[in-house]
Amino acid sequence: MDKPKVVLGVSGGIAAYKACELLRRLTESGHDVRVVPTEAALHFVGAATWSALSGNPVSTGVWTDVHEVPHVRIGQHADLVVVAPATADMLAKAAHGIADDLLTNTLLTARCPVVFAPAMHTEMWEHPATQENVATLRRRGAVVVEPAVGRLTGADTGKGRLPDPDEIFEICRRVLARGAAAGRDLAGRHVVISAGGTREPLDPVRYLGNRSSGKQGYALARTAAARGARVTLIEANTGLPDPAGVDVVRVGTAVQLREAVLKAAADADAVVMAAAVADFRPAVYAEGKIKKKDGQEPAPVALVRNPDVLAEISAERARPEQVVVGFAAETDDVLANGRDKLRRKGCDLLVVNEVGERKTFGSEENEAVVLAADGAETPVPYGPKEALADTVWDLVVPRLGASGDTDSGNSG
Ligand code: CTP
């Protein structure tokens, strides 16, 4: 089979050097990559580097190899175009259809999915002109990855950093897997996902916790971003790297998770509770470390109930058409317990999986049945957590009310 053809567009920002790493990830994983830098990008990384790393010729203008009509051919034959970094100027040109070099021509001729990974100073990112250009591109189906927050060129910090190249690579992989459907069915939607496991402190050094790794919640976040959603990920104790283009809110306990989920859910189209939330917490938090005493048995730990976040958001929907999804980790009578839990919690969908010491927690795979409040049951065979995540979104999308501003037309 032919290798998937990827066009890596590089525009003129300091983060261009990070695109070398993205290029390596793409080529090493079996993609045929044609790098199309802008003239300005070559101030940061030269054509020799792009050519050597990609094994393909590199040009910036439309007047090289004219007999091959590159300004049309490169875009027409691509399976994916990813622009990383995308400067404010590049986003503006793409949004307005300006075609004054090879990359902008390629964006106009591409009929495949297009991913933009913007990088710029916070002021430029937040400027209404840039925000409107981003909205235009997203409305047409392009995936515009939210920039990361952190150190920018010079001493300043803020939103505008290019996300980690590994994470941009993950988005590209997801978008390529979805083909023409990428960036579309969740465009204009805000989804909130909780992931990981809460920890309930007993004293300054100990906590009650659980075995959730957070991987299923992160797979949901990545797949939602690749389908065009604005994603808020409420993360509890996972230690996993932030997925590109996702707003991450860190929490520790069930009470903190509840607060963060309720706040983010206020304008959400869908809320997915993949986190393992502790049902109980120690009734008393010891300010100092609990010490053992010679000859004395340890005192029992009294517990109190934590709020049930899933039941609460299902009962009091922030928006009437909001879709709420829960997860059920069961060890016995998996389906019967799942059906009962779906009724008790009042959510629209419940992903039921069997757990055990070696099952599900921490693994890259999962097997589940998705139960719907209308009685539908969708079995998901054993496979990558990303496949289960995509099935969840496939079931969420038709249940969303109208209001997402999806549009048809060219991605770029
Ligand atoms: N959940 C929640 N708040 C809690 C406990 C659980 O929001 N305090 C959510 C989880 O995020 C998950 C779902 O409820 O989506 C089911 O979690 P699970 O632990 O399987 O259910 P429990 O309510 O704990 O039921 P039981 O202990 O009876 O199995």
Side-chain angles (χ1 to χ4, degrees):
M1 240 171 59
D2 278 353
K3 289 179 176 182
K5 288 189 172 50
V6 176
V7 173
L8 171 59
V10 184
S11 53
I14 184 74
Y17 76 93
K18 293 188 189 170
C20 299
E21 193 54 41
L22 175 61
L23 172 56
R24 284 198 79 103
R25 291 296 311 264
L26 287 164
T27 52
E28 281 169 8
S29 54
H31 300 88
D32 178 17
V33 188
R34 172 85 193 231
V35 183
V36 184
T38 63
E39 228 10 82
L42 296 183
H43 287 294
F44 297 97
V45 179
T49 302
W50 299 123
S51 189
L53 288 178
S54 68
N56 276 320
V58 168
S59 48
T60 60
V62 296
W63 305 113
T64 314
D65 300 324
V66 177
H67 63 288
E68 290 179 353
V69 205
H71 74 287
V72 177
R73 195 181 46 84
I74 294 174
Q76 278 177 339
H77 287 83
D79 297 303
L80 171 76
V81 178
V82 49
V83 184
T87 58
D89 178 63
M90 177 52 58
L91 295 172
K93 282 180 175 165
H96 293 276
I98 293 170
D100 59 0
D101 64 3
L102 189 55
L103 178 54
T104 45
N105 273 276
T106 300
L107 286 168
L108 275 189
T109 50
R111 290 293 174 271
C112 59
V114 178
V115 174
F116 292 93
M120 63 196 73
H121 272 77
T122 311
E123 293 83 349
M124 298 173 92
W125 172 251
E126 288 176 349
H127 195 285
T130 305
Q131 287 301 307
E132 278 171 32
N133 292 330
V134 168
T136 300
L137 292 166
R138 284 184 175 151
R139 201 173 55 248
R140 292 186 198 140
V143 174
V144 185
V145 180
E146 284 290 309
V149 177
R151 182 90 189 266
L152 304 170
T153 332
D156 40 356
T157 58
K159 191 163 188 170
R161 262 173 80 89
L162 189 74
D164 190 69
D166 282 352
E167 289 298 326
I168 301 174
F169 171 73
E170 283 302 320
I171 293 239
C172 293
R173 214 170 50 76
R174 294 302 316 150
V175 168
L176 265 171
R178 285 192 61 74
R184 294 199 181 276
D185 62 0
L186 287 172
R189 305 290 190 174
H190 178 208
V191 303
V192 176
I193 299 153
S194 69
T198 62
R199 290 179 183 174
E200 310 299 321
L202 195 55
D203 71 12
V205 292
R206 303 181 180 97
Y207 58 81
L208 300 181
N210 61 65
R211 304 169 74 94
S212 174
S213 67
K215 287 180 181 168
Q216 185 61 64
Y218 274 60
L220 282 155
R222 285 205 179 88
T223 47
R227 292 169 80 143
R230 175 161 77 84
V231 182
T232 306
L233 179 64
I234 317 287
E235 178 273 344
N237 310 300
T238 65
L240 296 172
D242 291 354
V246 167
D247 287 325
V248 182
V249 180
R250 289 182 212 292
V251 295
T253 65
V255 169
Q256 291 166 355
L257 183 136
R258 172 184 174 272
E259 209 170 293
V261 169
L262 290 184
K263 188 167 169 226
D267 71 343
D269 296 285
V271 183
V272 183
M273 286 291 297
V277 185
D279 289 321
F280 311 102
R281 65 177 182 275
V284 181
Y285 172 72
E287 296 290 339
K289 185 182 171 194
I290 301 167
K291 307 287 279 183
K292 57 183 173 302
K293 299 202 178 78
D294 282 348
Q296 277 185 24
E297 287 300 308
V301 176
L303 300 173
V304 292
R305 285 287 290 267
N306 268 330
D308 187 325
V309 188
L310 177 60
E312 186 176 345
I313 48 172
S314 299
E316 295 161 29
R317 314 246 172 168
R319 307 167 82 174
E321 70 284 13
Q322 189 172 70
V323 178
V324 179
V325 184
F327 271 70
E330 303 291 342
T331 53
D332 311 289
D333 290 335
V334 178
L335 274 183
N337 278 332
R339 291 185 192 112
D340 182 51
K341 198 169 279 182
L342 176 70
R343 267 190 305 278
R344 277 191 288 117
K345 302 264 187 179
C347 49
D348 303 293
L349 296 167
L350 190 76
V351 184
V352 186
N353 51 38
E354 194 177 341
V355 291
E357 280 208 21
R358 275 188 292 277
K359 265 190 177 157
T360 300
F361 289 131
S363 95
E364 304 296 333
E365 278 88 27
N366 212 344
E367 180 181 3
V369 178
V370 188
L371 307 178
D374 58 19
E377 299 193 357
T378 311
V380 186
Y382 186 77
K385 287 185 171 174
E386 276 178 357
L388 173 56
D390 267 324
T391 304
V392 170
W393 297 125
D394 289 346
L395 293 167
V396 165
V397 166
R399 290 173 166 82
L400 294 166
S403 85
D405 50 5
T406 45
D407 196 4
S408 59
N410 181 20
S411 313

